[in-house]
Every structure is written in structure tokens, then in C-alpha cells.
Amino acid sequence: MNRLAVELPGLSLKNPIMPASGCFGFGREYAKFYDLSVLGAMMIKATTLDARFGNPTPRVAETPSGMLNAIGLQNPGVDYVLAEELPWLAQYDVPIIANIAGSTVEEYVEVAKRISKAPNVHALELNISCPNVKKGGIAFGTVPEIAAELTRAVKEESAVPVYVKLSPNVTNIVAMAKAVEQAGADGLTMINTLVGMRIDVKTAKPILANGTGGLSGPAIKPIAIRMIYEVSQAVSLPIIGMGGIQSAEDVIEFFYAGASAVAIGTANFIDPYVCPHIIHDLPPLLDELGIQHISECTGRSWNNGQTVYCGT
Amino acid sequence: MNRLAVELPGLSLKNPIMPASGCFGFGREYAKFYDLSVLGAMMIKATTLDARFGNPTPRVAETPSGMLNAIGLQNPGVDYVLAEELPWLAQYDVPIIANIAGSTVEEYVEVAKRISKAPNVHALELNISCPNVKKGGIAFGTVPEIAAELTRAVKEESAVPVYVKLSPNVTNIVAMAKAVEQAGADGLTMINTLVGMRIDVKTAKPILANGTGGLSGPAIKPIAIRMIYEVSQAVSLPIIGMGGIQSAEDVIEFFYAGASAVAIGTANFIDPYVCPHIIHDLPPLLDELGIQHISECTGRSWNNGQTVYCGT
Amino acid sequence: MKENMTIISNRQIATGIYELTLAGSLVQRMHTPGQFVHVKVGDREPLLRRPLSLCDINHEAGECTIIYRAEGAGTTLLSQKLPGDTVDVLGPLGNGFSVSALSSGQRALLVGGGIGVPPLYELAKQLVNKGVFVTIVLGFQTKDVVFYEERFASFGGTYVATVDGSYGMKGFVTDVIQHHALSFHVLYACGPKPMLRALANEFPHQDVYLSLEERMGCGVGACFACVCRVPHSETAYKKVCSDGPVFRAGEVVL
Amino acid sequence: MKENMTIISNRQIATGIYELTLAGSLVQRMHTPGQFVHVKVGDREPLLRRPLSLCDINHEAGECTIIYRAEGAGTTLLSQKLPGDTVDVLGPLGNGFSVSALSSGQRALLVGGGIGVPPLYELAKQLVNKGVFVTIVLGFQTKDVVFYEERFASFGGTYVATVDGSYGMKGFVTDVIQHHALSFHVLYACGPKPMLRALANEFPHQDVYLSLEERMGCGVGACFACVCRVPHSETAYKKVCSDGPVFRAGEVVL
Ligand SMILES: Cc1cc2nc3c(=O)[nH]c(=O)nc-3n(C[C@H](O)[C@H](O)[C@H](O)COP(=O)(O)OP(=O)(O)OC[C@H]3O[C@@H](n4cnc5c(N)ncnc54)[C@H](O)[C@@H]3O)c2cc1C
Ligand SMILES: Cc1cc2nc3c(=O)[nH]c(=O)nc-3n(C[C@H](O)[C@H](O)[C@H](O)COP(=O)(O)OP(=O)(O)OC[C@H]3O[C@@H](n4cnc5c(N)ncnc54)[C@H](O)[C@@H]3O)c2cc1C
Ligand SMILES: Cc1cc2nc3c(=O)[nH]c(=O)nc-3n(C[C@H](O)[C@H](O)[C@H](O)COP(=O)(O)O)c2cc1C
Ligand SMILES: Cc1cc2nc3c(=O)[nH]c(=O)nc-3n(C[C@H](O)[C@H](O)[C@H](O)COP(=O)(O)O)c2cc1C
Ligand code: FES
Ligand code: FES
């Protein structure tokens, strides 16, 4: 038995560790550090219909135990990803979760339709934190009805299961989760970044050229844990958790809160080897905790040790 | 000219530095470390109508660059505060901002009515992050209409200006700010804590007995800055900013974002002398930045150096 | 009340247990056994201070000693500090053990469990200086984490129990007390809550002082993080940091 | 690619400017001037790595040198490290200066501004070793922050300018170049963007290599933090960390 193997809709993971979208490009850079086949899965950078340049620089700023980013969805467009990035990734034994983004429902649907047909794309991750240009720029992920509509539309055209990536910048995360569950989502990924800002004391101007940016890293971990704890008890979808994970202990904390797998974002920048290190550290930690299989950990903070999802 | 003096509704502050509510008790403990009269003002612990014991322990947990607390509004009740704490504080030359809390609009109003008559209470701070027991436990501070109703009711009965303390756990902080502005608030204080959680990897249980708690400290600073930046441009109320401030540089960052004064919470626990230290460090920092008066800093990140509030 | 104290030594004395000696002028303010210091270990991280009991106070040398278990982020970082490094110490804080509860010739029983043992050392020293006869009972999980037995033995009869029986008597401190039928005028204890509870229940009519642990924010009484309930009241409370950490048995709900 | 390198020395060489020498096996991978290392200064905080250019590579000694200005949280913490301490180094990263652009007997002009000076040192060394004639122009804010003038002088004619005129010629590096009518086959420059822009504009038809700075996330090309635009395209870009930091003038929009 592989005690780290996890079964999720569309995904047979040899372990529950995957790099988070936007923090690992399309894998090429980290392939210089280690064999990507060791990863449970890989979430590739948000892909839109057409190539986008993104925001002006500076695009990142440091904060206490965290960082802000305002990359602005820079990516080479879905056709390039299909032609160049996904075929290159096919050399590795790693299922791809394609993170998709757009400015309109139609754009999401079109990207979903095309990218979900790639043989190594096993699931989609809907990045609903993007502004909806048809609804005055309000983010898809902040209004349950809008998120549900988007989920439904993408779900209809996707050839693979659809995970919806929840934004934490909402009053009621449970309402968001329920809305996308009812709209047919196969799973949830959470959390995306919190909107934050830093101002340079010397210039009195925001450090990011874009003004605001998304806060990630250890600073947001307690918020992610709380939201996963709440959502996992309210819906019956599996959750891929993320937000500040740096160690195997953090992974267990996310599982206990209610996650069935996890993604690692910012930590890759601090240590490019962080994913394989965590994968390596998990079995001895399970031993120490007296746990047979990692899936036993899911929801243990609230379900008294019953197994929620099990990958045997 | 006192280059740190700030004038706000109800408050003539010799400097814009004050301890945040709940992080300084009623001042007695820190009075052993320094003369409280050096402070610009003092926000006392949330006071309710009757004495409350609060939550079971553990009530605090550490997080990366932050902490969670679930004190649960422990306080001796408004009559005790009026009889014992406020008269004791009267020996110091420091205006008091009374943080008030409750489970119903009526409770808030009653506390406001009584406590606003104390001679050294110069303003109220409405802690609207409390659950409204008459509305199914939803926090007053998460629904604009409910917050507005509460503000209006308290404003009618208060003998002093009313500042509303905004909760960051909302989708649209600007909508909350506008709602309480229209309801007659004299000022805003922001931000309160973000709801978070930590789970003990050894026991698989939340570290806080209460489960979730409020996240404070440097980790939340970028969120506070972003919210103050947005709100200060959308309303014309003065803002007392807070959330992770540890240094004079942080104070300037809050002013640049749009604050007219600031409060220091968690940092008092790390260094009991932090408030006097910051007050001491501000004038040389203003020199370094070429700034005459601290009020010139308010909103400088968006208003190109025009003075917003000036305390002469 | 706050000083960057200099590390004189910081050495492992049992598995994961460290003895830290600090020098600084703050030592001259330290008098009462059972008081604690609130220690900021890293510059930025970890954020909060760590409460650690005074184990030995040496006014002549201007040094104090603390014994701690390296467990989480803060204490692990502390264990890596070297002589000459400084740590930011706030204290002494809290109300310690009442030495004046006993007079010369009377008998004290000191009971410590695990990392609750350290404050009893300064207590034993002060009691013996006063002419009080002390008996010491120390409980540990296992042999590897036993420390200071010989040092305590220089003050009076010292018994050790381990939960797994790998050293001393197998069992708990209460087993030792019963087995040897130890008697006392005043009992002082510090250790895990179940131990304190057992002692309070065992000696309901005697003079018992207990030192409590609670997670802390401020450490000075301002944040209400560390409260415990007072019997027969819905709202009354005591703060471990400023009213305690030492309480008379019965004073607070355990 | 990642190693805890040992600090051999870390000393202030001008006001706020430090020279750090590191030892480790990573040095054997370092070859190209203009490459940088990504340094994790503290254990937890600050969170992100800091990009710092290689200033001197010594394969025999197994050491490399970096020169940095202690300014923000990370570099200030770095300046407090002592010999024997280790720092976590990722690298070498990026594409450096093309030494092969010149052959023996040709002339190189090296232009550095402030904290852009360090990578030119290894570059000068390698060019001179190859028989290239180098002329060096260094610009600083003021006298107090001038460093390495003599060291550069051992490689070729070295001119210093300060903005306030407190040392060398008053003015900018471009003033020096004009004043002395310095000519070259290849110009290499590193420094603030306005300086690089001025040089690119001054010599539009010559071979000019510029080293850029940008705030970084990953430092390895994965996060798209450090992109710059390519002329005549709405979507094309180069990454400073992995395509650069050295670009040919005209290759990217400055
Ligand atoms: C009055 C008092 C005196 C103490 N004296 C000693 C002593 O002499 N020697 C010793 O080894 N230990 C002592 N402790 C316990 C000691 O404070 C904790 O072991 C220590 O804070 C854990 O820090 P960490 O960095 O290892 O753990 P982490 O898990 O990193 O700590 C995270 C947070 O939880 C708090 N925390 C974790 N465990 C405890 C605990 N058991 N009690 C209180 N807070 C805790 C920490 O202070 C910190 O805020 C005392 C506790 C109190 C309240
Ligand atoms: C390729 C490259 C090579 C460099 N080589 C050197 C060198 O040899 N010597 C030297 O002194 N400096 C060099 N720099 C600049 C150096 O990286 C920054 O001065 C340093 O990161 C600032 O860190 P801090 O802790 O002082 O500042 P903080 O303000 O604490 O930094 C906060 C964040 O902003 C980033 N940042 C701040 N200023 C800069 C900057 N100018 N460039 C890039 N990121 C910045 C930091 O990396 C960090 O992520 C180089 C930069 C790049 C991109
Ligand atoms: C530089 C950067 C770029 C990101 N880009 C994306 C993206 O393209 N799509 C997306 O859904 N999330 C994106 N994220 C969010 C991460 O996938 C992740 O949800 C978040 O950073 C929290 O995890 P962490 O704290 O481990 O980084 C990005 C995060 C960072 C730091
Ligand atoms: C232990 C603790 C208790 C608090 N109690 C209150 C309270 O009673 N009323 C209130 O409005 N805010 C309370 N707060 C929130 C603070 O006043 C402040 O808004 C928040 O902590 C952010 O500031 P900081 O990061 O500087 O701590 C409390 C915070 C802490 C840490
Ligand atoms: S720790 Fe703050 S009151 Fe005791
Ligand atoms: S810093 Fe991440 S791509 Fe350059």
C-alpha cells in the first residue's frame, strides 16, 4: 500500500503534494532541480484564451511572513500551452491540473473546452478570482450566483472534472462553496490569495505597480485552515488545500482541517526543493503520529478520526 | 507647533499613537512600565452591559508573524468600568476611546449611553464584529444594513462622537464603510482581526478552545493597508488605522494609505514599551522623510501630498 | 523590567532539556521562586514571548538560570543560542511561591512534574536557607529526561518516579507520596494539570500551593488570555500571568 | 544549486557597503560574471530570497565574493552575520556578461553605478585574463560610498564620478565618458535604470550589454515577477532572472 496515494475526481495521485498554480510556471524551471514525476500532480499557470502580458513591474513585494503578487495573469495563451507546454510535460508521469482564467464566461468556457482535451490534463481548476468585465469588473469569485453560473457553463464543456478555486476575499466562504457545489463542481481548491497592499515609506507610493496584489505565504495559513475547516464540514466535495504550506507538519494541519490533498505555492520560491522534501518527510511524520494512511487525516479535527476520502 | 498633534472628532491628540482595544486592558498593567500620559489616546477593552467571563482557554495561539485570539469579550461590565476603571484612568492626561460591544442593538445602546457620559471618555468605538443574537448570530459588521442600523441607534444616544470599527472579514469593505458613514458615524477604526484557526498536529484538535479566533499582528498588515487605502478614498470620515503596526515606519505606511491616527495592538505583547518607542521614533523619521507635520502623510499614496486632516 | 540579557551558558542536561544561564541587571529584581520571565527568542519570528520559570537566582554573580524543554519553534531556536548571544527578557513576572508560609523547623514537600521541576529548585534553596526541612518528589516520563536529582538531593530527601519505570519508582508523584507516606506543613507543586488536580484532591485540608501553566499573550495581565475560573462564580477569574502562576489550592478551578 | 555556504568574511568597505566572502562547493559551478545568487538571509524571516551579483569567483580557494548595500530588512540582517555563520545560497542564476564578445587586443568599457559596480569586477578580471583592454567608469552618489577603485585600477584605466562631486569628477558616468571621449568595442554596464537608458541612447549603434534589476519572486523563471517588455510587441517578454539579468541593448524595453 502506498500510504500517500490519494484518489480524487479525475486524479489518481501517488501523493497529495502538488505545486500551486502560478508558482511553478509550466514546470520547466523546476525540472532543472528535480524529476517532476515525484510530484502528486501539478497545477499549471493560469491560462487564458489569448496570450497576456500582465501587469507592469514591480509585481511582487515582501510582507511579514508573506508576499504580495500582481502578475496579472501573464501567460502565452491556451493554444501555445496546448502546442508547447503540455506536450513537453507529457514526458513526466504527473497528472496536470490546468488552471484557467478569463474575463468573461465565454472565455473560460472556450479555454476549458480546448485545454481539457489534452491527454495529460486530468482536471481543471477554475480561477474565479478574476474580474468579470461584463459585470463591472466584480470578481467571479465574490458572488455565489456568478461563480455558480461560471461553474455550470465550464462543467458543461469540460472533458475532465472541474475544481473551483475559492477566493478568500468574501464574507461567507461557505455560501460560495455551496453555490459551486450545487452548480456541479467536482472539487474545491482553496484558498487563493487575499487582497493586500504595501506602501513604500520613502516614495509614499504602493510598491506594486498595480497598487494592490494577492497576499500568499505562511501569513495566510491560519485563514486557509479556518476556511477549509468551515467549508469541508458544509459540502461533500474534496478539497485541495493551499495557503502558506512550508512543511510536512503544515500538510497534516491542512488535512486535519479537511483537505484531501494540498498545493504548495510561495514556498517553492524560498526552497525550489520544497515539494520533494515534503513528500520525503511525510511518511516518517505519519509514523510519529501513528497514522497508517494520509487520507485518515482528512477532517480529523472535526470528524473524530473517520476517514473521509481514501485512496487505496 | 507639535508636529504629531492630530485633531479628530471628539479627540485632541498630542500624538496619533494609541493602544488598540483588548491589547492594553484598562491600562493598569502598562502603567507599571511607563506614564500613560505620553499616549495620544487609549482604546479600552470592549465593554458590555454585564460582566462576561469569555471563552474557555487556550485563548491564544501563535501563527507566522501573527497570533490568534479568542478571548470572548471578557470584561467586568459597564458599571464596573464606570466605577473603577475610568476614574482610575482619570489621573492620566489621556483621552479614552471606549470600545463597546453587545449581542443586541439594545445592549450596545445602553452601554453607549452610560459609558459616553464618563468625563474622560472622548469617543466611542463600536466593535461590530460581535455576533447579533437576534439575527441568527451573524456578525453586525458583515452586513451593511445591520451595521448602519446599529450605528444610527448608538449615535442617537451617545454623548460623544462614535467611531465604527470595521471587520475585515467581508467581501466589500467600502460598502460597509459607506453604510456606517451614511448612518452618522463620526469616524472609522480599522481593521479588526481576520477569522483564522490553527490545528495542533499532535492532537488533531484546534489549538484554541473556541476553535476559531481573530488573527492579528504583522501578518495582517498588508490587508489593513489595502482596506484603509480603499476606504479612505471612498468616504470622508477620518480613519484610525491598525493591524500589525510595530514601528514608526509602519505608522507612516498607515498614514500614507489614508489613516489619520493609528492604534497598536499585538505589538504591546511583544514589547510593552512599543507605544512610547514609536512616539519617540516618529519625529526623526519625519525629518528623514522631509515632512513637517504627520497629518501631511494622510492619504499621500493617493492624494499626491494634499493634506487631508490637519491637527494644528 | 526588560533587558537584553547575555547568555553565559546553554547546555543540554537531559534529552531535549536545556539549562540556560543568563546575566544582566534584571537579576537584581528577581527574588521570588515561582516567578517567571517572558522571553523573546528571535528578532522577528517567533512573534510571541515564551514564559519560562526562574530556576536559580544568583544575586552575587548577577546570573539566573532557566531550564526548558526544546519542543516547538521558540524553545528549539533558544536551544541553538550560544554563550555571548543575547535574549530579550521581560520580567520577573507573576507572583511566586510563598516562602513565608513556613518557619524554620517546619516541613515542606516540593512536588514537580517534568518541566514543572525547575522553579522548585530556587524554592528549595530559599526554604533550606530559612531552616525549613524539605522533601522533594520529582516525576518524569522516562529516564532520559530526568534532571537535577542530585542537586535537589543536597537540599533534602529526594524521590524520583518515572511513568515507564525506567528510573526510580514506576508511577506518578502521588504514588511516591503515598508509598513513603510523606507528610508536610506546606506542599508546593508545579507540573501538568492532572498532577496538580490529583494533589489538590489528595490533600483537601492542607496548605497546598500550585503553579499553573496557561498559553499567554501579554504575560503582564492585560490581554485576558490566561484566565482561570474562581470557584462558585460565573464571571470571577484569576490571571495566571499576574495573579499567579502560583495559587493556593482551592483559589482557582483546576 | 543550493547550499548552506560558510561565511569567510563579512566586512564594511564603505558607508553601508559590505564585502561578503563565502565558501562552498557551489563556487565550482560559478563561471560567468553578471550571474547572481539568490540568498536566504534568515531562517524564517525575511521570507524571500535576495538576488545579489557575483563580484569575484575564486575556484582555487573555493570562495566567491559579493558586495551589497545594507538597506532593507534582508541586507541589514546579512550585514550582522559573522564569519563561520552560514547562509542559504541558490545559484548561480541567470545569464551573465558575454566575455566571448571580445577577443584579445580589443577594448572594453565597463560602466558601473552604485551597487551595480560589483559584477564588473569579475568581468574585468576575466576580460583582462583574455587580453582585452579594459577601461572602467564608476559612478557613486558621494565619496563615502565609493569602493573598489584601486582594485579596478589594477585592471585598467579607472575613472570615478560622484553625483555631489565629493570625489572624482562631479556628475554622472556619461559625463566621464564624454569628457574623456572614451571609446570601446563593447560596452558593459550595470546600475540604475536611468544610467542604463542614458548609455543605450548614447551608443545606439554599438555593442552594449546591460545588466538589469527587478524585484523577484522565484529567481529561476517560474513566477513571472521580473519580466520586461520586448520592443514592438504587446505580449513578448524576457525574464530578468532567467533570460537576463544581462541583455543586449535594444533586446528589451528599458
Ligand atoms: C508560568 C509558566 C512557566 C513556565 N515555565 C517553564 C519552564 O521553566 N520550563 C519549560 O520548559 N517550560 C515552561 N513553561 C512552558 C513553556 O512556556 C512552553 O513550553 C513554551 O512556551 C513552548 O514554546 P515553544 O516555542 O516550544 O512551542 P510552540 O508550540 O512554538 O509555542 C507556540 C505558542 O504556544 C505557547 N505554548 C506552547 N506550549 C505551552 C505551554 N505548555 N504553556 C504555555 N504556553 C505554551 C507558546 O508560548 C507560544 O505562544 C512555562 C509556562 C508557563 C505559563
Ligand atoms: C540580478 C540582481 C543582482 C543584484 N545584485 C546586487 C548586488 O550585487 N549588490 C547589491 O547590493 N544589490 C544587488 N541587487 C539589489 C538587491 O537585490 C536589493 O538591494 C536587495 O534585494 C534589497 O533587499 P533588502 O533586504 O535590503 O530590502 P527590502 O526592502 O527588505 O526588500 C524587500 C523585497 O524587495 C526586493 N528588493 C528591494 N530592492 C530591490 C532591488 N533594488 N532589486 C531587486 N529587488 C529588490 C527584495 O529582494 C525583497 O524581495 C541586485 C538585484 C538584482 C535583481
Ligand atoms: C506569484 C504567484 C502567482 C500566482 N498565480 C496564480 C494563478 O495564475 N492562478 C491561480 O489560481 N492562483 C495563482 N496564485 C495563487 C496560488 O496558486 C495559491 O493559491 C496562493 O499563493 C496560496 O498558496 P501559497 O501561500 O502556498 O502561495 C499565484 C500565487 C503567486 C504567489
Ligand atoms: C488579545 C486581543 C484582544 C482583542 N480584543 C478586542 C476587543 O475587545 N475589542 C476590539 O474591538 N478589538 C479587539 N482586538 C482587536 C485589536 O484591537 C486590533 O483591532 C487587532 O488586533 C489588529 O491590530 P494589531 O495587529 O496591532 O493587534 C483584540 C486583539 C487581540 C490580539
Ligand atoms: S497573558 Fe495576557 S493577561 Fe495573562
Ligand atoms: S523572479 Fe520569478 S520569473 Fe523571474
Side-chain angles (χ1 to χ4, degrees):
Chain A
M1 187 190 75
N2 174 352
R3 51 204 299 219
L4 296 183
V6 171
E7 291 291 329
L8 296 178
L11 300 164
S12 284
L13 309 178
K14 52 179 132 17
N15 64 64
I17 307 300
M18 61 192 88
S21 178
C23 302
F24 210 72
F26 295 95
R28 289 183 193 269
E29 293 77 18
Y30 289 98
K32 291 176 195 150
F33 291 94
Y34 60 87
D35 178 3
L36 302 184
S37 299
V38 306
L39 296 169
M42 225 186 91
M43 290 161 150
I44 56 174
K45 172 127 199 72
T47 301
T48 53
L49 194 53
D50 299 315
R52 293 199 192 184
F53 178 78
N55 290 322
T57 58
R59 291 178 170 187
V60 293
E62 198 177 44
T63 73
S65 294
M67 66 175 279
L68 294 169
N69 88 80
I71 306 298
L73 293 182
Q74 177 156 25
N75 80 96
V78 67
D79 292 335
Y80 184 93
V81 172
L82 280 166
E84 301 292 333
E85 303 294 1
L86 289 168
W88 181 84
L89 277 167
Q91 70 185 291
Y92 297 104
D93 172 27
V94 57
I96 306 299
I97 301 173
N99 184 284
I100 67 172
S103 306
T104 61
V105 173
E106 296 70 32
E107 183 178 356
Y108 275 97
V109 169
E110 191 53 36
V111 178
K113 206 191 284 186
R114 296 193 203 172
I115 209 164
S116 67
K117 298 201 179 103
N120 53 342
V121 168
H122 292 219
L124 300 187
E125 181 183 43
L126 279 192
N127 177 354
I128 61 173
S129 297
C130 314
N132 183 337
V133 295
K134 290 201 181 156
K135 297 267 162 81
I138 191 164
F140 288 95
T142 55
V143 183
E145 295 71 34
I146 298 179
E149 181 203 335
L150 177 64
T151 306
R152 212 172 286 117
V154 169
K155 185 64 194 155
E156 235 161 62
E157 299 290 343
S158 173
V160 294
V162 175
Y163 290 71
V164 178
K165 183 162 186 176
L166 299 185
S167 161
N169 302 292
V170 296
T171 309
N172 189 342
I173 190 85
V174 168
M176 294 299 312
K178 285 185 169 165
V180 301
E181 178 177 45
Q182 287 199 317
D186 297 287
L188 301 173
T189 68
M190 59 194 290
I191 58 175
N192 213 321
T193 53
L194 285 126
V195 185
M197 181 183 242
R198 280 215 49 202
I199 298 171
D200 189 322
V201 170
K202 283 191 200 121
T203 64
K205 292 285 155 231
I207 293 179
L208 299 176
N210 185 55
T212 62
L215 181 65
S216 64
I220 70 170
K221 200 182 74 169
I223 298 170
I225 293 287
R226 186 266 295 185
M227 289 187 165
I228 292 169
Y229 178 84
E230 287 177 358
V231 167
S232 63
Q233 296 179 68
V235 301
S236 52
L237 298 177
I239 295 172
I240 303 177
M242 64 198 79
I245 297 177
Q246 287 189 303
S247 67
E249 282 77 13
D250 289 342
V251 172
I252 300 296
E253 193 175 347
F254 273 75
F255 269 73
Y256 284 165
S260 297
V262 296
I264 321 285
T266 305
N268 291 291
F269 307 160
I270 295 147
D271 178 4
Y273 300 99
V274 67
C275 290
H277 281 168
I278 289 177
I279 294 165
H280 173 267
D281 291 347
L282 274 173
L285 180 57
L286 291 180
D287 286 341
E288 208 181 304
L289 298 171
I291 291 163
Q292 262 299 311
H293 194 284
I294 191 152
S295 291
E296 296 164 29
C297 299
T298 299
R300 197 176 264 229
S301 65
W302 49 265
N303 71 358
N304 295 311
Q306 284 174 273
T307 301
V308 177
Y309 290 95
C310 190
T312 30
Chain B
M1 190 190 74
N2 174 352
R3 44 203 304 218
L4 297 183
V6 171
E7 290 290 330
L8 296 177
L11 300 163
S12 284
L13 310 177
K14 52 180 132 15
N15 64 65
I17 307 300
M18 61 193 87
S21 178
C23 303
F24 210 72
F26 294 94
R28 289 184 193 267
E29 293 77 18
Y30 290 97
K32 290 177 195 148
F33 292 94
Y34 58 87
D35 177 2
L36 301 183
S37 299
V38 305
L39 297 168
M42 227 186 91
M43 289 162 151
I44 56 174
K45 172 127 198 69
T47 300
T48 54
L49 194 52
D50 299 316
R52 294 200 193 184
F53 178 78
N55 290 321
T57 57
R59 291 178 170 187
V60 294
E62 198 178 45
T63 73
S65 296
M67 66 174 281
L68 295 169
N69 88 81
I71 306 298
L73 293 183
Q74 176 156 24
N75 80 95
V78 65
D79 291 336
Y80 184 93
V81 172
L82 280 167
E84 300 292 332
E85 303 294 1
L86 289 168
W88 180 84
L89 277 167
Q91 70 185 290
Y92 297 102
D93 172 28
V94 57
I96 306 300
I97 301 173
N99 185 283
I100 67 172
S103 307
T104 61
V105 173
E106 295 71 31
E107 184 178 354
Y108 276 98
V109 169
E110 190 54 36
V111 177
K113 205 192 284 186
R114 294 194 205 171
I115 209 165
S116 67
K117 296 199 180 103
N120 53 341
V121 168
H122 292 218
L124 299 186
E125 182 183 42
L126 278 193
N127 177 355
I128 61 173
S129 297
C130 315
N132 182 338
V133 294
K134 292 203 180 155
K135 297 267 161 80
I138 191 165
F140 287 95
T142 55
V143 182
E145 295 72 33
I146 297 179
E149 181 203 333
L150 177 63
T151 306
R152 212 171 286 117
V154 170
K155 186 63 193 154
E156 235 160 61
E157 298 291 341
S158 172
V160 294
V162 175
Y163 290 70
V164 178
K165 184 164 186 177
L166 300 184
S167 160
N169 304 290
V170 296
T171 309
N172 189 342
I173 190 86
V174 167
M176 293 299 312
K178 284 184 171 165
V180 302
E181 177 177 45
Q182 287 198 317
D186 298 286
L188 301 173
T189 67
M190 58 193 288
I191 59 175
N192 212 320
T193 55
L194 284 125
V195 185
M197 181 184 241
R198 279 217 47 203
I199 298 172
D200 189 323
V201 170
K202 282 191 200 121
T203 63
K205 293 285 155 231
I207 293 179
L208 299 177
N210 184 55
T212 61
L215 182 65
S216 64
I220 70 169
K221 199 183 76 169
I223 298 171
I225 293 287
R226 185 264 296 182
M227 289 186 165
I228 293 168
Y229 178 83
E230 287 177 359
V231 167
S232 63
Q233 295 178 68
V235 302
S236 52
L237 298 177
I239 295 173
I240 302 176
M242 64 197 78
I245 297 176
Q246 287 189 303
S247 66
E249 282 77 11
D250 290 341
V251 172
I252 300 296
E253 194 175 346
F254 273 74
F255 269 73
Y256 283 166
S260 297
V262 297
I264 320 285
T266 305
N268 291 291
F269 307 161
I270 295 147
D271 179 1
Y273 299 99
V274 66
C275 290
H277 281 169
I278 290 178
I279 294 166
H280 173 266
D281 290 348
L282 274 172
L285 179 57
L286 291 180
D287 286 342
E288 208 182 304
L289 298 170
I291 291 162
Q292 263 299 312
H293 193 284
I294 191 151
S295 292
E296 296 165 30
C297 298
T298 299
R300 198 178 264 229
S301 65
W302 50 264
N303 73 359
N304 295 311
Q306 284 173 271
T307 301
V308 178
Y309 290 96
C310 189
T312 34
Chain C
M1 291 279 284
K2 187 163 123 29
E3 185 181 7
N4 285 323
M5 295 183 79
T6 305
I7 296 180
I8 300 300
S9 75
N10 188 19
R11 61 191 192 93
Q12 192 164 0
I13 56 169
T15 305
I17 309 288
Y18 290 77
E19 182 198 60
L20 170 71
T21 302
L22 297 170
S25 62
L26 229 47
V27 174
Q28 306 310 329
R29 291 166 165 262
M30 301 172 181
H31 301 287
T32 316
Q35 283 194 306
F36 67 97
V37 288
H38 218 188
V39 180
K40 177 85 174 119
V41 180
D43 195 28
R44 294 223 231 157
E45 283 276 86
L47 188 70
L48 297 176
R49 291 176 177 272
R50 300 293 191 264
L52 296 168
S53 302
L54 293 173
C55 169
D56 191 11
I57 307 166
N58 185 336
H59 289 129
E60 295 74 53
E63 295 176 3
C64 66
T65 297
I66 284 159
I67 291 178
Y68 63 95
R69 179 165 59 213
E71 232 189 333
T75 51
T76 301
L77 189 61
L78 186 58
S79 71
Q80 291 156 2
K81 300 258 169 186
L82 300 172
D85 291 351
T86 59
V87 281
D88 173 356
V89 176
L90 178 69
L93 299 173
N95 294 306
F97 291 110
S98 164
V99 176
S100 59
L102 283 172
S103 10
S104 179
Q106 289 191 293
R107 272 168 300 120
L109 180 60
L110 278 54
V111 183
I115 212 57
V117 168
L120 303 181
Y121 183 76
E122 177 67 24
L123 175 63
K125 200 174 78 181
Q126 294 198 13
L127 288 170
V128 167
N129 276 347
K130 212 180 158 177
V132 173
F133 297 108
V134 303
T135 304
I136 298 121
V137 181
L138 308 177
F140 297 98
Q141 279 298 321
T142 184
K143 185 178 175 190
D144 294 349
V145 294
V146 175
F147 60 88
Y148 264 40
E149 183 191 5
E150 283 152 50
R151 291 206 170 215
F152 275 104
S154 71
F155 294 131
T158 299
Y159 304 88
V160 173
T162 54
V163 177
D164 65 0
S166 55
Y167 190 80
M169 183 168 161
K170 181 180 162 78
F172 299 102
V173 289
T174 40
D175 299 324
V176 175
I177 297 172
Q178 281 171 348
H179 185 260
H180 295 281
L182 301 175
S183 72
F184 53 86
H185 292 103
V186 175
L187 187 154
Y188 301 93
C190 183
K193 223 174 228 176
M195 181 191 105
L196 301 182
R197 233 181 256 129
L199 291 169
N201 291 339
E202 190 95 358
F203 305 105
H205 307 297
Q206 281 196 267
D207 220 2
V208 174
Y209 291 90
L210 307 172
S211 180
L212 266 61
E213 260 189 23
E214 194 49 78
R215 294 209 176 216
M216 292 186 177
C218 64
V220 301
C223 76
F224 292 81
C226 67
V227 298
C228 45
R229 289 191 177 272
V230 169
H232 319 299
S233 165
E234 275 307 300
T235 54
Y237 61 90
K238 297 273 177 185
K239 294 172 192 160
V240 170
C241 69
S242 53
D243 298 318
V246 177
F247 296 98
R248 229 181 170 127
E251 203 183 342
V252 296
V253 179
L254 289 176
Chain D
M1 292 276 284
K2 187 165 120 33
E3 185 181 8
N4 285 324
M5 296 184 78
T6 305
I7 297 180
I8 300 299
S9 74
N10 189 21
R11 60 191 192 92
Q12 192 163 0
I13 57 171
T15 304
I17 309 288
Y18 290 77
E19 181 198 61
L20 169 72
T21 301
L22 297 170
S25 61
L26 228 48
V27 174
Q28 305 311 328
R29 291 166 166 262
M30 299 171 181
H31 301 287
T32 317
Q35 282 193 308
F36 68 97
V37 288
H38 218 188
V39 180
K40 177 85 173 119
V41 180
D43 195 31
R44 296 223 232 155
E45 284 276 86
L47 188 70
L48 297 177
R49 291 176 177 272
R50 300 294 191 263
L52 296 169
S53 302
L54 293 171
C55 168
D56 191 12
I57 306 167
N58 185 336
H59 289 129
E60 295 75 54
E63 295 177 2
C64 66
T65 297
I66 284 159
I67 292 177
Y68 63 95
R69 180 166 56 213
E71 229 187 334
T75 51
T76 301
L77 189 60
L78 186 57
S79 71
Q80 291 156 1
K81 301 256 171 189
L82 300 174
D85 291 350
T86 61
V87 280
D88 173 356
V89 176
L90 178 69
L93 299 173
N95 294 305
F97 290 109
S98 165
V99 176
S100 59
L102 283 173
S103 9
S104 177
Q106 287 191 293
R107 272 169 299 119
L109 181 60
L110 279 54
V111 183
I115 213 59
V117 167
L120 302 181
Y121 182 76
E122 178 66 25
L123 176 62
K125 199 174 79 181
Q126 294 197 13
L127 288 170
V128 167
N129 277 346
K130 211 181 158 177
V132 173
F133 298 107
V134 302
T135 305
I136 297 119
V137 181
L138 307 177
F140 297 97
Q141 279 299 321
T142 184
K143 186 180 175 190
D144 295 348
V145 295
V146 174
F147 61 88
Y148 263 40
E149 182 190 7
E150 282 151 49
R151 291 208 172 213
F152 275 104
S154 72
F155 295 130
T158 299
Y159 305 87
V160 174
T162 52
V163 177
D164 65 359
S166 54
Y167 191 80
M169 184 169 160
K170 182 180 163 75
F172 299 102
V173 289
T174 40
D175 299 324
V176 176
I177 298 171
Q178 282 172 347
H179 186 258
H180 296 281
L182 300 176
S183 71
F184 53 86
H185 292 102
V186 175
L187 186 154
Y188 301 94
C190 184
K193 221 173 231 178
M195 180 191 105
L196 302 180
R197 231 181 257 130
L199 291 169
N201 292 338
E202 189 98 358
F203 305 104
H205 307 297
Q206 282 196 266
D207 220 2
V208 173
Y209 291 90
L210 306 172
S211 181
L212 266 59
E213 260 188 25
E214 194 49 79
R215 294 209 175 215
M216 293 186 176
C218 65
V220 301
C223 75
F224 293 80
C226 66
V227 298
C228 45
R229 290 191 176 270
V230 169
H232 318 300
S233 165
E234 274 308 299
T235 55
Y237 62 90
K238 297 274 176 184
K239 294 172 192 160
V240 170
C241 68
S242 53
D243 298 319
V246 177
F247 296 99
R248 227 182 171 126
E251 202 183 342
V252 297
V253 179
L254 288 176

